Amino acid sequence: MKAVGIRKSHPIDHPDSFIDFNTEEPKPGDLDLLVRIKAVSVNPVDFKVRQNAAKDKELEQPKILGWDAAGIVERVGNKVTKFKQGDEVYYAGEIDRPGCNAEFQLVNENIAGHKPKNISFEEAAAMPLTSLTAWECIFERLKIEENSGENQDILVLGGAGGVGSIAIQLLKKLTKFNVIATASRNETEAWCRNMGADVIVNHKNLEEEMKAKGYENVDYTLNFSDTDMHWDAMASLIKPQGNICSIVETKNPVDLNKLKNKSVAFHWELMFTRAKFQTPDMHKQHEILERISKLLEEETIETTLNKTFQGLDPETLKEVHSLQESGKSIGKNVISF
């Protein structure tokens, strides 16, 4: 099969930051689906892995990146019960297995979902990783219940990004929270409002902006932006006994003592945890994707696809990675095969 990968962690403008190559079509294990890929999307995890996976070495076998895909099941493993050949699926996959920047990919049935019937492969490919991340942040890490949140405020840092875009929708459609989202440009502010945000603040002067809009503090904070940059503001703005959830790793130690006097709970979220550690509840990601699929089919929520690119080739991946690294990406960027 054809694939695009990396041999070394080059800057994105390096001629060999991505390379074309051919490799054996993978064979499904007992619980695997072999999926013929139709579309993929690119997330920050893609460029972070590209930048760090082969910093001081050259890989013998190119590494295939990509953790968001939609396609058609070509074959199934002997113990698969949730899917059959010909099913249209979407999923984010596993960080420890070859990615989706290829013609075919293996994915465990417990972390895949049936593609929503009313949207394209491209629109579906935009959804899995960010939907799983947002859902786990809101309903599992913060333990927010559906239809709760009346007269409560939640701050979403990075509202126009991939995760922020779906988190805002889930909060507005499934809970009663007042959603405050951060955005710093006219186009990102408009995007957040379209997703359903009630209030927009500029993250560059977060505490001052919040106070100017009449908010001294919030009940919950979701950080999809920069943990280092916003740590002091998050600690200051959270209410006593509040909850903060972040998906962005820190480059420097953060002072957890800032949360102690207010008995604030801090949660990490990594969408790959369940698959990486083969947790007993790994199947819940299948259940979440099935729920997201239904919400999309009912048009309760909408796809966060913003830009579509064409072709499984190094130049296309370079273009999309450059956009992601710029920090100016809005919603999701998808590559159609």
Side-chain angles (χ1 to χ4, degrees):
M1 68 174 184
K2 178 183 176 183
V4 176
I6 64 165
R7 281 195 184 276
K8 193 166 175 57
S9 292
H10 293 298
I12 195 58
D13 57 359
H14 190 281
D16 295 325
S17 57
F18 281 104
I19 59 168
D20 267 320
F21 70 103
N22 288 300
T23 186
E24 291 294 317
E25 180 184 306
K27 293 179 173 57
D30 286 346
L31 293 174
D32 285 336
L33 314 176
L34 177 67
V35 180
R36 180 184 292 275
I37 308 293
K38 303 291 286 185
V40 303
S41 70
V42 177
N43 297 280
V45 63
D46 294 60
F47 71 76
K48 290 175 183 177
V49 172
R50 195 201 80 247
Q51 291 169 345
N52 295 289
K55 266 187 172 179
D56 304 313
K57 58 185 176 182
E58 185 162 312
L59 304 175
E60 286 186 25
Q61 177 71 11
K63 183 177 182 63
I64 304 171
L65 309 181
W67 293 279
D68 248 348
I72 301 170
V73 175
E74 191 87 355
R75 292 205 301 280
V76 300
N78 293 329
K79 296 182 180 179
V80 168
T81 60
K82 296 177 175 68
F83 300 90
K84 63 183 185 304
Q85 184 180 11
D87 281 352
E88 296 180 352
V89 295
Y90 75 142
Y91 56 89
E94 300 175 48
I95 195 72
D96 295 332
R97 299 183 82 176
C100 58
N101 295 336
E103 288 183 299
F104 295 95
Q105 184 187 18
L106 295 177
V107 61
N108 186 299
E109 69 165 348
N110 287 305
I111 57 172
H114 290 89
K115 181 185 85 63
K117 296 182 177 68
N118 61 325
I119 63 176
S120 67
F121 284 103
E122 291 77 14
E123 290 169 321
M127 300 305 293
L129 187 147
T130 52
S131 296
L132 287 165
T133 300
W135 188 281
E136 290 180 359
C137 282
I138 296 166
F139 300 112
E140 298 186 349
R141 307 295 168 242
L142 297 182
K143 301 192 184 306
I144 289 171
E145 295 181 359
E146 291 187 44
N147 296 312
S148 70
E150 192 166 5
N151 300 318
Q152 289 188 292
D153 303 311
I154 186 164
L155 175 62
V156 179
L157 295 166
V163 183
S165 298
I166 186 62
I168 292 170
Q169 292 189 68
L170 292 174
L171 286 163
K172 291 311 299 178
K173 298 297 185 178
L174 301 182
T175 78
K176 298 177 181 178
F177 276 87
N178 179 58
V179 177
I180 307 159
T182 68
S184 60
R185 293 177 284 142
N186 290 338
E187 55 267 41
T188 52
E189 180 174 338
W191 180 270
C192 288
R193 289 198 186 282
N194 185 56
M195 294 296 107
D198 298 292
V199 179
I200 310 295
V201 294
N202 191 322
H203 65 265
K204 292 178 180 175
N205 303 290
L206 188 54
E207 288 185 77
E208 294 83 353
E209 282 269 317
M210 288 287 286
K211 287 172 183 173
K213 295 284 176 79
Y215 296 94
E216 292 291 328
N217 47 39
V218 293
D219 300 276
Y220 295 88
T221 296
L222 289 167
N223 175 42
F224 307 136
S225 178
D226 188 317
T227 305
D228 292 284
M229 179 188 298
H230 299 305
W231 183 256
D232 289 346
M234 287 193 289
S236 174
L237 289 166
I238 196 71
K239 282 183 180 179
Q241 301 184 97
N243 287 263
I244 299 169
C245 183
S246 180
I247 68 169
V248 186
E249 66 277 11
T250 61
K251 295 182 177 66
N252 303 295
V254 295
D255 186 3
L256 281 171
N257 288 324
K258 289 181 179 289
L259 308 181
K260 183 178 185 298
N261 286 345
K262 291 195 281 187
S263 298
V264 170
F266 178 73
H267 310 262
W268 281 121
E269 158 63 17
L270 180 67
M271 187 280 304
F272 293 115
T273 296
R274 281 174 159 142
K276 184 178 179 65
F277 294 99
Q278 299 288 297
T279 61
D281 65 351
M282 185 170 155
H283 65 278
K284 286 194 175 179
Q285 291 202 332
H286 166 72
E287 294 169 9
I288 294 167
L289 288 173
E290 295 290 84
R291 179 73 188 282
I292 294 293
S293 186
K294 184 174 289 188
L295 290 170
L296 285 160
E297 288 176 349
E298 295 169 350
E299 299 184 354
T300 302
I301 61 174
E302 62 185 66
T303 181
T304 55
L305 170 62
N306 189 28
K307 291 188 176 181
T308 305
F309 300 78
Q310 296 291 329
L312 176 61
D313 59 71
E315 292 309 311
T316 302
L317 278 158
K318 286 180 185 181
E319 185 178 2
V320 182
H321 273 238
S322 294
L323 177 56
Q324 288 286 159
E325 288 183 41
S326 73
K328 295 182 178 178
S329 177
I330 300 174
K332 292 299 295 291
N333 302 301
V334 170
I335 302 171
S336 176
F337 297 175

